[in-house]
Amino acid sequence: MFGRRVTLIDTPGFDDTTKSDTEILKMIASYLADAYRVNKKLSGVIYMHRISDFKMGGISKRNFGMFRSLCGEKTLQNVVIVTNMWGEVSEERGVARENELANDNALFKPVLEKGAQMVRHHNTYQSGQEILRRLVDNHPLPLQIQHEIVDEHKQVQQTVAGAELESKAIEEAKRQQEEEVRKHREAMEAVIRAQEEQRAREVEQARREQEAAEARAREEHERQLAQQAEDRRQEEERMQQIQRALEAEAAARRAEEERIQRIREEENRRAWEAEEERERHRREVERLRNERNDDCVIF
């Protein structure tokens, strides 16, 4: 390729599901150290990043941090950051994400300012060749971890990458511990909320039952009052009926007495008039007798 022999080395990522990050770092460090001992140095290092990832999460940032620790600052001029998966995004969105990656101090801007390049891979043979063409003419340089292990005789865990990994491992352990504490706290809070909600429901149910009982008691009391009022009304009406009957009876008695009284008065009047008539006749007879002396008058 390009008139020379090109060797491509594929390394596992630090988000491998079958090996720990420590195992992966030791594998990469061992290979690179062995190559450096026989004077084999890299003309370039490629870091792949999916442009379709619209957010660079914690794992991606950790992986890029490990990548920088492996390379060191002096070899960044031989680094190419390759964005791929352009077919999964629109051109407008991909360009916006590319600009964000290139201009954010927390992402790729610091390494680009120190000589690294960022290019696109369009999933074609030609695109891949263009990326390699940027590297083949570079001056080969040892990576930082090669220099540390071979020249400084450090163990992997003593290198910047090893320290970075240990620091990240401590942070991850702390994060996991905090996450477990958070989950435990949230679980306890959920239990407490559930208990409080249950108590609130029980209190609410008791309140409703109490209100219902009070409402029934009020209804019963009002019903009894209404019944008592109805009983009083009926009793009063019965008493009024009795009173009216008594009054009617008394009125009838008075009328009868008055009628009898009138009859008696009429009889007395007639008797008096008869007596008066007899007295008048008697006086008349007496008068006639006196006038006729011994004449007998018989009625």
Side-chain angles (χ1 to χ4, degrees):
M1 183 181 290
F2 313 117
R4 65 186 68 185
R5 182 180 178 181
V6 176
T7 302
L8 298 177
I9 304 168
D10 185 21
T11 64
F14 286 98
D15 54 354
D16 192 276
T17 57
T18 61
K19 294 181 176 61
S20 68
D21 289 349
T22 300
E23 291 175 319
I24 292 172
L25 177 60
K26 287 181 177 180
M27 289 173 56
I28 296 174
S30 176
Y31 178 86
L32 292 174
D34 290 342
Y36 184 48
R37 288 188 182 99
V38 295
N39 201 31
K40 290 183 178 179
K41 292 176 279 189
L42 302 179
S43 296
V45 184
I46 298 175
Y47 182 84
M48 305 292 294
H49 181 78
R50 294 184 296 267
I51 199 67
S52 56
D53 292 347
F54 294 109
K55 181 179 180 182
M56 196 167 182
I59 293 177
S60 296
K61 289 181 178 179
R62 184 188 65 182
N63 290 345
F64 188 65
M66 286 297 301
F67 176 80
R68 290 190 63 180
S69 298
L70 286 169
C71 295
E73 299 296 308
K74 295 180 180 180
T75 59
L76 290 178
Q77 60 190 3
N78 288 350
V79 169
V80 174
I81 299 172
V82 177
T83 56
N84 59 355
M85 302 295 182
W86 281 85
E88 297 185 8
V89 297
S90 65
E91 180 71 16
E92 180 182 2
R93 199 166 187 184
V95 169
R97 180 57 177 159
E98 184 180 49
N99 290 332
E100 181 183 1
L101 292 170
N103 294 288
D104 193 328
N105 285 321
L107 302 177
F108 298 151
K109 182 180 180 181
V111 298
L112 295 176
E113 289 177 343
K114 294 182 179 181
Q117 304 175 64
M118 187 164 71
V119 299
R120 303 177 186 179
H121 183 256
H122 295 290
N123 199 30
T124 64
Y125 178 77
Q126 293 78 12
S127 179
Q129 281 194 322
E130 287 299 321
I131 294 170
L132 293 178
R133 185 172 286 109
R134 294 172 178 265
L135 301 173
V136 293
D137 292 329
N138 288 345
H139 176 66
L141 295 172
L143 301 183
Q144 178 170 276
I145 195 167
Q146 292 176 308
H147 176 69
E148 289 176 309
I149 293 176
V150 177
D151 298 331
E152 298 180 0
H153 308 290
K154 291 181 178 180
Q155 298 296 318
V156 174
Q157 61 270 21
Q158 295 174 323
T159 64
V160 173
E164 175 76 10
L165 181 61
E166 183 177 1
S167 174
K168 296 298 182 182
I170 293 173
E171 290 179 4
E172 180 63 17
K174 182 179 178 181
R175 187 195 65 77
Q176 290 181 355
Q177 183 179 17
E178 291 175 349
E179 180 67 14
E180 290 177 0
V181 171
R182 182 188 64 79
K183 289 181 178 179
H184 180 70
R185 183 175 62 253
E186 289 178 352
M188 291 299 297
E189 291 174 352
V191 170
I192 293 172
R193 282 196 303 272
Q195 292 175 345
E196 290 176 348
E197 290 172 357
Q198 179 63 26
R199 284 195 294 269
R201 286 193 295 269
E202 292 173 354
V203 169
E204 179 64 17
Q205 180 65 23
R207 184 187 65 79
R208 292 178 180 175
E209 292 176 355
Q210 179 66 23
E211 290 179 351
E214 291 176 354
R216 288 193 298 270
R218 285 195 300 272
E219 290 175 359
E220 179 62 20
H221 180 65
E222 291 172 357
R223 187 192 65 79
Q224 291 178 356
L225 290 177
Q227 184 62 44
Q228 291 173 0
E230 178 63 18
D231 292 343
R232 285 196 300 272
R233 186 192 65 77
Q234 292 179 358
E235 181 64 18
E236 290 174 357
E237 185 176 345
R238 188 179 67 83
M239 293 301 295
Q240 290 174 358
Q241 290 175 350
I242 293 173
Q243 181 66 27
R244 287 193 295 270
L246 292 175
E247 291 175 353
E249 183 179 353
R253 283 198 303 271
R254 286 196 299 273
E256 182 63 18
E257 290 173 355
E258 290 175 355
R259 187 182 67 81
I260 293 172
Q261 181 65 26
R262 285 194 299 273
I263 292 173
R264 287 176 179 173
E265 290 176 351
E266 181 65 21
E267 290 175 347
N268 290 335
R269 184 184 63 75
R270 290 179 180 178
W272 179 79
E273 288 178 350
E275 184 64 27
E276 285 291 318
E277 184 65 20
R278 285 194 297 272
E279 181 64 25
R280 187 181 63 78
H281 281 284
R282 187 186 63 77
R283 285 196 298 272
E284 183 64 23
V285 169
E286 183 67 27
R287 184 183 64 77
L288 292 174
R289 184 180 295 163
N290 289 335
E291 287 179 356
R292 297 178 181 178
N293 295 321
D294 296 323
D295 291 343
C296 182
V297 180
I298 299 173
F299 290 94

